[in-house]
Amino acid sequence: MSRSGRKEEETLIEMSGTGDGEDLNGPLYEINSNADSEIRSHSEIDKNLQSKDSVFFCDGIRRIDFVLSYVDDPNKEVDRKKSDRRREFEMNLQKAGLELETEDKKESESGKIYFLKIHAPWEVLCTYAEVLNLKMPIRSNDMEAKADNPLHWLIRIFKLPYNVMNPEDDYFTAPFNKQKQELFKIEDQSKFFSPATRNRIVYYILSRCPYGVGEEKRKFGVKRLLSNGTYTSAFPLHDCQYWKLSMDGKCESERYTLYKHWARFGKFYKEQPLDLIRKYYGEKIGIYFAWLGFYTEMLFFAAIVGFFCFLYGWITMDESISSKEICDNDIGGQIIMCPLCDKRCEFWRLNSTCEPSQYSHLFDNVATLFFAIFMGIWVTLFLEFWKRRQARLEYEWDLVDFEEEQQQLQLRPEYEAKCTHKKKNPVTQEMELVLKRSPVNILGKLFLCWMSVVFWISLIIASMIAIIVYRLAVYAAFASIMENNHTLEPISGLLTPQLATSVTASCLNFIVIMILNFLYERVAIWITDMEIPRTHLEYENRLTMKMFLFQFVNYYSSCFYVAFFKGKFVGFPGDYTYMFNSWRNEECDPAGCLIELTTQLTIVMAGKQIWGNIQEALVPFVWNWWRSRRARNSPENLYSRWEQDYDLQIFGQLGLFYEYLEMVVQFGFITLFVASFPLAPLLALLNNILEIRVDAWKLTTQFRRPFAAKAHSIGVWQEILNGMAVLSVVTNAFIVAFTSDMIPRLVYYYAYSENEASPMSGYINSSLSVFDISDFSDLSTPETNEMNVTLCRYRDYRYPPDHHKRYHHTMQYWHILAAKMAFIIIMEHVVFVVKFFVAWLIPDVPSEVKARIKREKYLTQRILHEYELTKLQQKLAGKEHCAEVAKQVQATEGKVQLSAYM
């Protein structure tokens, strides 16, 4: 085993559970006696000998693992306090074993910014690798490689070069042990820990390093120093400029490789280099792009089926008997419909809705039912196959034994800072920091937090009601304008008052959604911060549930209204239902409400995706261009790597949260309401192909390098997706039953049709009831009756005015209602049975992965036992066959035999 570099002092940082007031739920700090002398010796090197576009200290040897920046405060008193905090913080960092180097503000482009460069030496990395239970390579993987796909030549165009897809060799790994370094493949100490691992370790230290003692609580952590302005930023460095290779041969230039093969829009058809993403950005970002890529791949199949369903509707559009009857001058042209609003609206002919009824057939046909059932099964396949893909990534990325307690469940520094008491953990029997809270305080905060959530959700509902009132109020205006404006006659067949109202209301609703989103994001973060969650996982889960609950109501409420409420509680011309006793409830078009639901879904979904891409790509680009405008006139060798990254945008801890939220909201659109718009998966597919490259581009070129973090799954989002998958079956069943006209048409076809040659003939007449206009109330009577109408038609199943049960529901209405309920029950049970059968049939972990996991555990045990056996044998030889040592050898050999047997 080759090992380069000098041997450092013994332990710099040790784990300890003792020490009053010093335990920070992590390691204690010990002084490295050589740290100051080493820093002085390195600082004597001429800085001009080292290029500024470098990721190394001025000596060109020690790598920069993290950078902090700060500026002088114009207020001298405030500046003195900040300087004291920085001095103590940096002194404690040096005590922790980190090495520091400061760039004076005179060296910066602006002449105002100081940069503190941080390097973690070998001993610090080893100690914290053991603390964080990092898995490191011990032996090359001897399992057989996966067999080549026989159709590899067909998909070769989608493949990336082998060295890009496999940046590291495949090894068996084991948790790092500082005392057993000989077990690990340490060929070069400077490269053993990847830059992502190094910056993760340094950030762990920075987030727990103390800088002062307050009156009642400990002050520590770089996040608090950032929030109070002591430092202006903290970030790890990108390894090079994204558009060219680094001139330093010791730099891997992985950023350039990612940009060249992944973050360019011209590579949209290529696979993603997930292993390289994971190596450069860490597992948490890697798992997001793996999920997004897999979701996009699965969308391809849904998009193909949805497109063919839409194509079927397009091909059969001229064969729709219902549309033909509506458009026929002898049928639809002779049917006079009742006014759609009170007083100002006039009687109208049914054939005026000819074109909307034809377009409605595009989405309201037999293929709609098939596609709704297909999507119920597709979403199950997506979630089950993702579990398998996730299990494979867990193994390949050394996350099999990843424990949340070691990573995500570490105490948040914000929680630790407020802890003033200790309590013995009943499991570990160790003293832990706890936050003392009184029952009144807990109940008060819970009440305030959740009342805030309820208030904002109520605000969304109020805004939705306002949109509904807008629809009701402006419909009459649109109807009046279109009837009296002759310039609109050429498009009057397409642009009906109903459609104009629906489109403008959808656009207005989208604007309200964006405004409420902007406001509530800040409120949700403030509420979650006030709750002081104990761990990072608790914080993310609480914020996720608040944000998703809000987004669910915000984005989907208008679609739920059109799908399940519009046109369902209208009443009839003699007894209309009014909202707030002022506005008459909306009616559906004679062809149904499905086309309006499609319009609503298209505007909100497409608008959100377009606005999201503008926010994600254009805004950071313009902002970075503005911030770096001065540096463009400077020589490249004077524009330092840390200044280049300082001018970029910040990818915060919640950066991935918003990416997941965006995709999960989209997932809701293509599952909850897909029966109304089969093209939704196709729109989502096109958006996601762009989304992957936009996210890659902005992360690689427009944002500072985020510090690496581990994650073995997509977390609570998996449960949210499962819940939406179940809900989607219910919503689509109700859309097919109550929003589309499929069930009424089927009931008429099998039970009420009198024309055997053309069973659907007469359906339109059957679906419209008759009303005597003399029965209008004073509030509803039209102001004009130019057609001299005595009877008008309306969409419902009621007895005519000359019947003894006038205006009561007919038996056909009850037959249709029974058929709708039966359809919902049958469809839900069929889809759920298939879903659960598919979920049971597909194992979550592939058998190949199970075998590899067992093989790795066996080898790890064997190697560790052999190591212990060798040590004991050496000890035995040195002590001349001591009896006690011989017993230990026999015991160890027994363990090895038992391990081999197992």
Side-chain angles (χ1 to χ4, degrees):
M1 178 173 54
S2 172
R3 297 181 60 188
S4 61
R6 60 181 180 80
K7 179 73 175 175
E8 298 282 350
E9 290 284 329
E10 199 51 46
T11 319
L12 295 173
I13 306 167
E14 297 178 359
M15 291 295 293
S16 173
T18 61
D20 187 20
E22 297 293 327
D23 187 4
L24 301 178
N25 188 44
L28 295 176
Y29 299 92
E30 293 188 355
I31 297 177
N32 180 0
S33 59
N34 293 334
D36 294 336
S37 62
E38 290 180 22
I39 293 170
R40 284 194 300 271
S41 64
H42 287 300
S43 65
E44 295 172 359
I45 299 174
D46 186 0
K47 293 185 178 182
N48 294 324
L49 297 178
Q50 177 71 8
S51 170
K52 281 199 167 188
D53 188 21
S54 171
V55 293
F56 294 93
F57 275 18
C58 291
D59 57 16
I61 300 174
R62 294 174 295 168
R63 189 181 190 97
I64 302 173
D65 297 314
F66 228 88
V67 174
L68 304 178
S69 67
Y70 58 92
V71 295
D72 293 328
D73 196 290
N75 188 317
K76 292 185 178 180
E77 181 63 25
V78 175
D79 187 61
R80 183 185 63 79
K81 292 181 179 179
K82 291 181 178 179
S83 297
D84 291 342
R85 295 193 200 110
R86 283 194 294 267
R87 182 166 50 253
E88 186 171 357
F89 184 71
E90 291 167 16
M91 181 182 67
N92 287 328
L93 290 179
Q94 292 178 354
K95 290 179 181 180
L98 298 179
E99 298 175 2
L100 313 178
E101 184 177 84
T102 303
E103 285 283 326
D104 192 82
K105 65 180 181 180
K106 297 178 182 178
E107 302 288 333
S108 68
E109 175 66 28
S110 64
K112 300 177 181 179
I113 307 172
Y114 296 88
F115 290 95
L116 178 68
K117 298 174 284 186
I118 303 174
H119 168 76
W122 174 255
E123 285 295 325
V124 173
L125 295 173
C126 291
T127 301
Y128 275 96
E130 186 172 355
V131 168
L132 297 175
N133 201 36
L134 300 182
K135 285 189 172 184
M136 305 307 293
I138 55 175
R139 177 180 294 184
S140 297
N141 192 334
D142 60 357
M143 298 284 287
E144 292 184 6
K146 189 177 180 180
D148 289 337
N149 189 338
L151 300 178
H152 176 74
W153 61 276
L154 283 176
I155 59 175
R156 184 166 51 189
I157 189 175
F158 305 108
K159 295 291 184 180
L160 290 174
Y162 180 83
N163 64 320
V164 176
M165 290 299 298
N166 302 275
E168 297 177 305
D169 294 331
D170 193 9
Y171 294 104
F172 288 127
T173 59
F176 188 78
N177 190 321
K178 183 180 177 182
Q179 307 304 323
K180 300 177 181 178
Q181 295 184 30
E182 295 83 0
L183 285 173
F184 299 89
K185 294 181 71 65
I186 308 177
E187 298 175 356
D188 185 348
Q189 287 185 356
S190 64
K191 296 181 178 179
F192 182 67
F193 294 103
S194 68
T197 303
R198 296 174 69 100
N199 76 59
R200 178 166 164 249
I201 289 174
V202 172
Y203 183 76
Y204 181 88
I205 298 173
L206 291 174
S207 63
R208 285 158 176 78
C209 180
Y211 65 86
V213 179
E215 296 179 358
E216 297 179 351
K217 56 188 176 183
R218 186 78 178 251
K219 294 182 180 180
F220 61 92
V222 71
K223 288 187 70 174
R224 288 172 63 98
L225 292 172
L226 288 170
S227 63
N228 61 31
T230 303
Y231 290 104
T232 56
S233 64
F235 54 93
L237 291 178
H238 283 294
D239 61 1
C240 67
Q241 294 172 330
Y242 68 85
W243 64 86
K244 67 176 183 178
L245 291 168
S246 173
M247 298 178 64
D248 193 333
K250 294 181 292 183
C251 183
E252 298 85 353
S253 297
E254 290 174 345
R255 185 190 188 192
Y256 168 78
T257 304
L258 286 170
Y259 175 72
K260 180 181 179 182
H261 295 284
W262 176 55
R264 297 166 67 181
F265 298 103
K267 301 291 183 180
F268 72 92
Y269 59 93
K270 293 287 188 180
E271 61 183 337
Q272 295 188 88
L274 295 177
D275 288 337
L276 185 58
I277 297 169
R278 171 247 183 173
K279 181 185 177 186
Y280 191 75
Y281 290 113
E283 288 79 2
K284 192 170 185 178
I285 291 178
I287 205 79
Y288 163 73
F289 280 103
W291 176 81
L292 180 57
F294 184 80
Y295 171 45
T296 305
E297 291 172 9
M298 291 295 292
L299 273 176
F300 175 78
F301 302 102
I304 292 295
V305 177
F307 176 76
F308 279 108
C309 289
F310 174 79
L311 197 61
Y312 171 83
W314 181 273
I315 294 172
T316 60
M317 187 166 61
D318 294 335
E319 301 174 7
S320 172
I321 302 298
S322 300
S323 298
K324 287 182 178 179
E325 290 187 348
I326 292 175
C327 298
D328 192 334
N329 287 330
D330 296 330
I331 301 177
Q334 301 303 315
I335 296 178
I336 308 299
M337 302 295 294
C338 296
L340 293 173
C341 65
D342 295 333
K343 297 287 186 182
R344 297 176 60 183
C345 291
E346 298 179 356
F347 298 98
W348 53 284
R349 297 187 184 276
L350 181 59
N351 64 351
S352 64
T353 61
C354 174
E355 291 187 25
S357 68
Q358 291 176 330
Y359 291 130
S360 178
H361 179 76
L362 290 173
F363 310 105
D364 192 359
N365 52 67
V366 177
T368 301
L369 172 60
F370 166 77
F371 192 58
I373 296 174
F374 169 81
M375 286 301 293
I377 300 172
W378 174 88
V379 72
T380 303
L381 291 173
F382 163 63
L383 294 173
E384 292 302 317
F385 281 126
W386 166 245
K387 290 178 185 177
R388 292 171 61 84
R389 177 72 173 124
Q390 188 171 263
R392 190 179 297 278
L393 289 175
E394 284 184 29
Y395 167 73
E396 293 175 354
W397 292 356
D398 299 321
L399 300 169
V400 173
D401 295 324
F402 175 82
E403 295 182 5
E404 298 289 358
E405 284 117 11
Q406 297 171 352
Q407 308 297 338
Q408 296 286 5
L409 288 185
Q410 291 166 354
L411 296 183
R412 295 174 64 237
E414 294 84 352
Y415 175 86
E416 293 178 298
K418 296 184 180 295
C419 292
T420 56
H421 295 78
K422 286 189 175 183
K423 182 180 179 181
K424 181 180 286 188
N425 188 312
V427 178
T428 63
Q429 294 297 307
E430 294 179 356
M431 300 300 292
E432 287 185 348
L433 292 169
V434 294
L435 182 63
K436 190 175 182 181
R437 297 175 176 175
S438 65
V440 176
N441 186 283
I442 294 173
L443 291 175
K445 283 191 174 181
L446 281 176
F447 177 79
L448 177 62
C449 293
W450 285 104
M451 283 303 297
S452 300
V453 174
V454 171
F455 167 77
W456 279 91
I457 291 178
S458 302
L459 187 62
I460 297 172
I461 297 174
S463 68
M464 186 189 70
I465 293 175
I467 298 294
I468 296 172
V469 171
Y470 164 85
R471 299 171 72 112
L472 300 176
V474 303
Y475 177 81
F478 277 123
S480 177
I481 292 173
M482 291 182 179
E483 287 173 3
N484 300 323
N485 194 333
H486 298 291
T487 59
L488 297 176
E489 286 184 1
I491 59 171
S492 60
L494 179 63
L495 187 62
T496 61
Q498 296 99 317
L499 184 59
T501 303
S502 180
V503 170
T504 56
S506 299
C507 294
L508 183 61
N509 181 60
F510 175 72
I511 295 171
V512 172
I513 286 173
M514 292 295 104
I515 294 173
L516 290 177
N517 269 353
F518 176 80
L519 298 174
Y520 184 75
E521 282 178 8
R522 286 141 186 83
V523 174
I525 293 173
W526 172 75
I527 292 173
T528 310
D529 287 339
M530 191 170 61
E531 292 175 353
I532 318 175
R534 185 172 181 268
T535 65
H536 292 288
L537 185 62
E538 286 182 14
Y539 183 89
E540 290 186 4
N541 288 349
R542 292 186 185 185
L543 182 61
T544 298
M545 294 311 298
K546 291 183 183 70
M547 284 295 294
F548 177 74
L549 184 62
F550 175 84
Q551 298 270 18
F552 185 92
V553 178
N554 197 20
Y555 278 108
Y556 304 142
S557 58
S558 58
C559 293
F560 272 102
Y561 163 72
V562 175
F564 306 123
F565 296 97
K566 183 179 178 181
K568 307 299 186 296
F569 309 100
V570 178
F572 63 95
D575 186 20
Y576 282 122
T577 305
Y578 289 83
M579 178 181 286
F580 306 129
N581 295 321
S582 300
W583 293 283
R584 200 174 100 188
N585 285 354
E586 283 187 284
E587 296 182 43
C588 287
D589 189 273
C593 271
L594 197 68
I595 189 66
E596 291 195 43
L597 177 59
T598 303
T599 303
Q600 178 77 27
L601 183 65
T602 305
I603 291 176
V604 176
M605 180 180 175
K608 181 186 182 302
Q609 293 180 167
I610 294 171
W611 178 250
N613 287 324
I614 291 174
Q615 278 188 312
E616 292 183 7
L618 187 60
V619 173
F621 176 78
V622 173
W623 181 254
N624 289 338
W625 174 85
W626 180 256
R627 290 189 64 179
S628 62
R629 66 192 186 283
R630 290 183 56 190
R632 289 194 295 272
N633 299 322
S634 302
E636 189 172 307
N637 61 342
L638 297 180
Y639 190 30
S640 64
R641 161 89 352 247
W642 40 92
E643 285 183 282
Q644 294 175 40
D645 286 8
Y646 178 81
D647 288 336
L648 298 178
Q649 294 289 290
I650 301 172
F651 191 81
Q653 285 188 322
L654 295 178
L656 280 185
F657 168 81
Y658 292 113
E659 300 296 342
Y660 276 119
L661 185 62
E662 178 186 3
M663 288 295 103
V664 170
V665 169
Q666 182 203 84
F667 181 83
F669 281 125
I670 69 164
T671 54
L672 296 177
F673 308 102
V674 74
S676 67
F677 191 36
L679 291 181
L682 180 60
L683 290 182
L685 173 65
L686 297 176
N687 174 78
N688 287 8
I689 291 173
L690 182 65
E691 179 76 18
I692 291 174
R693 304 303 159 176
V694 168
D695 287 348
W697 174 79
K698 72 178 184 182
L699 200 61
T700 307
T701 67
Q702 304 301 310
F703 282 87
R704 297 172 186 168
R705 185 176 184 174
F707 58 87
K710 278 187 175 290
H712 73 296
S713 69
I714 62 175
V716 70
W717 298 109
Q718 181 80 34
E719 301 305 319
I720 291 176
L721 292 175
N722 289 333
M724 295 181 73
V726 174
L727 181 61
S728 68
V729 177
V730 179
T731 56
N732 283 300
F734 272 85
I735 287 173
V736 173
F738 286 97
T739 309
S740 80
D741 261 8
M742 182 174 298
I743 302 301
R745 286 199 296 263
L746 289 175
V747 171
Y748 179 82
Y749 183 92
Y750 288 105
Y752 290 91
S753 176
E754 298 177 353
N755 188 337
E756 295 182 0
S758 179
M760 289 305 297
S761 296
Y763 167 72
I764 291 297
N765 186 63
S766 172
S767 65
L768 299 175
S769 299
V770 180
F771 181 77
D772 188 341
I773 68 169
S774 63
D775 293 331
F776 269 124
S777 64
D778 293 337
L779 181 63
S780 304
T781 304
E783 294 176 350
T784 60
N785 185 3
E786 296 179 356
M787 298 183 184
N788 296 320
V789 175
T790 57
L791 298 175
C792 64
R793 309 293 292 274
Y794 60 98
R795 182 182 170 84
D796 205 343
Y797 296 91
R798 295 178 182 270
Y799 289 109
D802 57 353
H803 196 277
H804 68 279
K805 292 184 179 180
R806 56 183 293 171
Y807 304 138
H808 284 78
H809 284 122
T810 64
M811 286 303 299
Q812 187 175 354
Y813 169 85
W814 297 110
H815 289 160
I816 291 173
L817 182 61
K820 288 179 177 181
M821 300 307 297
F823 170 80
I824 291 172
I825 294 171
I826 293 172
M827 178 179 170
E828 286 182 355
H829 280 71
V830 169
V831 175
F832 279 134
V833 167
V834 174
K835 280 170 63 71
F836 292 130
F837 176 73
V838 170
W840 170 81
L841 190 64
I842 302 175
D844 291 347
V845 182
S847 57
E848 173 203 354
V849 173
K850 289 181 180 178
R852 287 177 176 269
I853 292 173
K854 291 177 181 178
R855 171 69 176 165
E856 181 167 330
K857 287 185 176 180
Y858 163 73
L859 278 180
T860 302
Q861 279 188 329
R862 180 177 172 182
I863 291 170
L864 291 174
H865 289 155
E866 288 177 352
Y867 174 81
E868 293 292 343
L869 178 61
T870 301
K871 287 289 187 182
L872 288 173
Q873 286 176 340
Q874 292 174 356
K875 190 175 180 181
L876 179 65
K879 294 191 176 183
E880 298 178 352
H881 304 285
C882 174
E884 184 64 28
V885 176
K887 291 180 181 179
Q888 295 179 18
V889 171
Q890 292 175 0
T892 304
E893 287 177 340
K895 290 179 181 178
V896 173
Q897 294 173 0
L898 178 60
S899 176
Y901 173 76
M902 293 174 63

